[in-house]
Amino acid sequence: MRDAMKISKPEEQAMRLVMRMATHADQATLGELSALERLPEPTVAKLLGRLRQGGIVEVQRGRNGGYVLALPPAEITVAAVIRALGRPLLEGASCSPVDSLDPECPHAADCGLRSVWHQVSLRIRDVLESTSVADLTQKESAVSARLIERLEPAGTPNVPQGATTS
């Protein structure tokens, strides 16, 4: 389950490129994106190629060409960008080090930990599927407020870790 929550460096870089394109007034060239995100051009080229294959970006050819988003930012989710890079959304979302569904696992018949990992996976998937690139282009405080509103049931107090309620 540890690996399921790790976002790779290329995934984060791809998200930042997509966010940059969402806020760019017009199409952006490889060189512009490389300079704006302070990434080497070969890295940007590789990521844009994978994003193009995944249907996230399109290439505008010609003298004034460049890269543009294939869809409006509100229609592109974080999950879609991660999938475009060819990795499953929640890799390794089972117990570790043994597979909890393996009949040889001593906990295969009854495992409370498996329930925890399942619920964590559902929450992660929900956040990634329901967060759009348009959401991410807002100020950090607005993104945080939206996530808290979405993830905390109405009426649930937001209690800092270590605090007690009485």
Side-chain angles (χ1 to χ4, degrees):
M1 185 63 188
R2 290 185 311 260
D3 294 336
M5 292 186 272
K6 183 177 180 182
I7 301 297
S8 70
K9 187 174 183 178
E11 289 166 338
E12 182 170 347
Q13 291 169 334
M15 278 305 314
R16 294 196 181 280
L17 288 170
V18 171
M19 290 166 60
R20 178 68 68 177
M21 293 172 70
T23 59
H24 205 271
D26 208 1
Q27 66 257 13
T29 66
L30 176 70
E32 289 170 333
L33 290 169
S34 175
L36 290 168
E37 289 301 317
R38 297 184 187 149
L39 294 170
E41 281 194 27
T43 299
V44 174
K46 181 178 178 182
L47 291 170
L48 289 173
R50 291 171 72 188
L51 290 169
R52 187 179 60 75
Q53 289 174 332
I56 302 296
V57 302
E58 294 176 342
V59 178
Q60 301 288 320
R61 303 221 184 263
R63 197 169 115 183
N64 296 320
Y67 291 87
V68 295
L69 295 178
L71 297 167
E75 294 179 28
I76 301 172
T77 66
V78 174
V81 174
I82 292 171
R83 282 193 200 103
L85 296 183
R87 189 175 122 184
L89 195 54
L90 293 172
E91 208 170 74
S94 63
C95 293
S96 179
V98 291
D99 183 354
S100 64
L101 300 178
D102 180 350
E104 300 299 317
C105 175
H107 308 287
D110 188 26
C111 179
L113 185 56
R114 183 173 43 231
S115 297
V116 172
W117 294 153
H118 178 72
Q119 290 303 313
V120 168
S121 294
L122 290 176
R123 295 292 286 264
I124 292 170
R125 183 179 304 276
D126 183 41
V127 169
L128 299 178
E129 293 282 2
S130 66
T131 304
S132 74
V133 173
D135 294 331
L136 297 177
T137 61
Q138 306 302 311
K139 292 204 174 286
E140 184 175 355
S141 59
V143 174
S144 292
R146 182 189 177 283
L147 289 170
I148 289 169
E149 179 182 301
R150 175 152 178 75
L151 295 174
E152 290 184 5
T156 303
N158 187 0
V159 179
Q161 189 175 5
T164 58
T165 58
S166 18

